Amino acid sequence: MGAGGRMSDASEAKDILKRVPVDPPFTLSDLKKAIPAHCFERSLIRSSYYVVHDLIVAYVFYFLANTYIPLLPAPLAYLAWPVYWFCQASICTGLWVIGHECGHHAFSEQQWIGDIVGFILHSALFTPYFSWKYSHRNHHANTNSLDNDEVYIPKRKSKVRNYSKLLNNPPGRVFTLVFRLTLGFPLYLLTNISGKKYGRFANHFDPMSPIFTERERIQVLVSDLGLLAVFYAIKLAVAAKGAAWVICMYGIPVVGVHVFFVLITYLHHTHLSLPHYDSTEWNWIRGALSTIDRDFGFLNRVFHDVTHTHVLHHLISYIPHYHAKEARDAIKPILGEHYKIDRTPIFKAMWREAKECIYIEPDEDSEHKGTYWYHKVL
């Protein structure tokens, strides 16, 4: 995993935890005017190039693993498989990011083309494309709203369960992180864990789930059919090559994609400097600015820069990834203190957030009683 950048000194490390201002002195229109016009252009040819590139790299990894790892003596094979899983999961996470971009109408000027590409990519990586597209759209529309956001809704102190107190120690944090990274995404899809409370059971596979509107229900069913087709393909592969082969070549890399996805989004939305808002204080631009960029080192490029352009993405989600860095740099002078990138090495950042971002509460002496900040002392 990319280690991320390094803090230049202790003062920089301390400053990164400084809270962002609450009220921006600019508008979304101001930000858009600062971005070069070509950054808003979506090229089907250029977007398709990245899909083809990633698919070729993924095939090369598959070919090398399938051809040569079985020839290695046992000790070397045990070392080679994790290398393959990491490499394949990394490049497939890049494909997942492109599928996510399709859902934001950033792949092509024609939304239907993006939907077809996104549907194929996400289905192959065990993600219900349309279902997740619509819940993710709700997340973008209500980012960091305690009442209406779709995911990563932190607990208030009064809602912290007893088991959270029992897990508030190094072994407990290890368990929590492993649980979140491995089971977090499938449980979110299946049970809406950490998501918005709808008053009844909600998931991403039931077309009648309260997550979706009437006009979205047929496409939710299409997402389900896409996953059923993938299950059928897996069944055929198991019959032809065996379960162990399918798990090693395909299953573990897909789990790796989900791990990377949860890690990236968890770190984007969990930080001591970021506020959450209840309905008395929330507005769209406040919420969109309450995210943070992260540095995943060499994986930034593999993940198509989604890691360190996330603030821009929440402000203007339809800018393609190949223009995102330029657009981000164009608005940084306007954002000022409202923009943050944390270059803390990823493992260190992951541990720090698990240790210090336990629950949220407003400051007792603040006039912003609807603005909540992370706290760590239970």
Side-chain angles (χ1 to χ4, degrees):
M1 182 182 299
R6 292 184 176 179
M7 294 296 178
S8 59
D9 52 41
S11 62
E12 185 179 352
K14 181 179 179 181
D15 184 64
I16 198 61
L17 300 179
K18 180 182 177 182
R19 292 176 175 179
V20 297
V22 171
D23 292 313
F26 49 80
T27 66
L28 181 60
S29 178
D30 295 330
L31 298 175
K32 288 183 176 180
K33 289 176 183 177
I35 298 174
H38 70 267
C39 290
F40 296 95
E41 296 175 0
R42 297 160 286 203
S43 168
L44 176 60
I45 293 176
R46 190 168 181 181
S47 296
S48 299
Y49 160 78
Y50 288 100
V51 175
V52 174
H53 171 273
D54 286 0
L55 287 173
I56 290 173
V57 174
Y59 177 77
V60 170
F61 288 150
Y62 157 77
F63 175 81
L64 292 174
N66 189 51
T67 304
Y68 295 107
I69 292 181
L71 303 179
L72 296 174
L76 291 179
Y78 293 145
L79 295 175
W81 277 117
V83 173
Y84 165 72
W85 294 331
F86 174 83
C87 292
Q88 193 67 289
S90 299
I91 201 68
C92 287
T93 299
L95 285 167
W96 194 98
V97 169
I98 294 175
H100 153 260
E101 194 162 276
C102 291
H104 282 291
H105 196 188
F107 185 85
S108 166
E109 291 295 332
Q110 293 75 35
Q111 179 64 64
W112 65 271
I113 295 178
D115 281 340
I116 291 173
V117 173
F119 174 71
I120 294 171
L121 292 178
H122 272 194
S123 296
L125 296 171
F126 267 78
T127 302
Y129 172 73
F130 290 107
S131 308
W132 191 84
K133 168 185 172 179
Y134 291 130
S135 69
H136 187 63
R137 177 199 60 191
N138 295 339
H139 163 62
H140 271 258
N142 299 282
T143 309
N144 280 27
S145 165
L146 293 174
D147 302 303
N148 294 305
D149 200 354
E150 197 65 43
V151 70
Y152 285 120
I153 303 173
K155 288 183 172 61
R156 306 181 197 194
K157 188 174 184 179
S158 61
K159 300 295 184 180
V160 174
R161 303 287 182 87
N162 288 330
Y163 64 77
S164 296
K165 299 177 182 179
L166 293 174
L167 294 174
N168 191 26
N169 51 66
R173 283 190 283 275
V174 170
F175 171 81
T176 300
L177 284 169
V178 171
F179 180 88
R180 175 180 287 124
L181 293 176
T182 56
L183 297 178
F185 190 49
L187 285 177
Y188 170 63
L189 295 176
L190 285 165
T191 69
N192 206 38
I193 189 173
S194 83
K196 180 179 177 180
K197 304 305 178 186
Y198 282 97
R200 69 178 181 89
F201 182 71
N203 71 27
H204 283 70
F205 304 102
D206 177 9
M208 302 308 294
S209 173
I211 298 173
F212 311 114
T213 65
E214 286 295 329
R215 68 179 184 84
E216 295 165 355
R217 302 196 192 284
I218 292 179
Q219 289 180 307
V220 173
L221 182 59
V222 172
S223 297
D224 294 344
L225 293 175
L227 294 181
L228 287 175
V230 173
F231 274 116
Y232 183 69
I234 291 172
K235 178 184 177 182
L236 296 179
V238 169
K241 304 289 289 186
W245 184 90
V246 173
I247 291 171
C248 288
M249 300 304 302
Y250 171 76
I252 295 178
V254 168
V255 171
V257 171
H258 293 179
V259 168
F260 275 132
F261 165 68
V262 172
L263 176 60
I264 292 167
T265 54
Y266 171 69
L267 292 179
H268 279 157
H269 292 279
T270 309
H271 199 267
L272 284 172
S273 70
L274 302 179
H276 287 74
Y277 304 95
D278 67 20
S279 57
T280 66
E281 296 265 357
W282 182 89
N283 62 48
W284 182 85
I285 196 164
R286 277 185 174 183
L289 289 168
S290 299
T291 62
I292 191 167
D293 287 354
R294 299 282 188 164
D295 185 358
F296 275 66
F298 72 93
L299 287 177
N300 289 333
R301 185 172 181 180
V302 179
F303 296 160
H304 301 303
D305 299 314
V306 72
T307 46
H308 59 163
T309 62
H310 191 252
V311 176
L312 167 80
H313 176 66
H314 264 274
L315 291 164
I316 311 169
S317 60
Y318 53 87
I319 290 180
H321 70 268
Y322 41 82
H323 293 315
K325 288 193 294 182
E326 182 181 359
R328 175 204 62 193
D329 293 342
I331 65 173
K332 279 170 64 176
I334 300 175
L335 292 175
E337 290 184 290
H338 291 269
Y339 173 79
K340 286 214 171 196
I341 180 168
D342 191 337
R343 301 187 187 278
T344 303
I346 295 305
F347 284 111
K348 182 178 179 181
M350 182 172 58
W351 183 258
R352 182 190 66 201
E353 274 40 297
K355 179 181 179 181
E356 301 191 357
C357 298
I358 305 298
Y359 67 92
I360 54 167
E361 282 290 300
D363 292 336
E364 292 183 3
D365 58 348
S366 173
E367 62 183 33
H368 297 285
K369 296 302 182 183
T371 302
Y372 291 68
W373 303 93
Y374 275 112
H375 295 267
K376 64 177 180 179
V377 180
L378 289 171

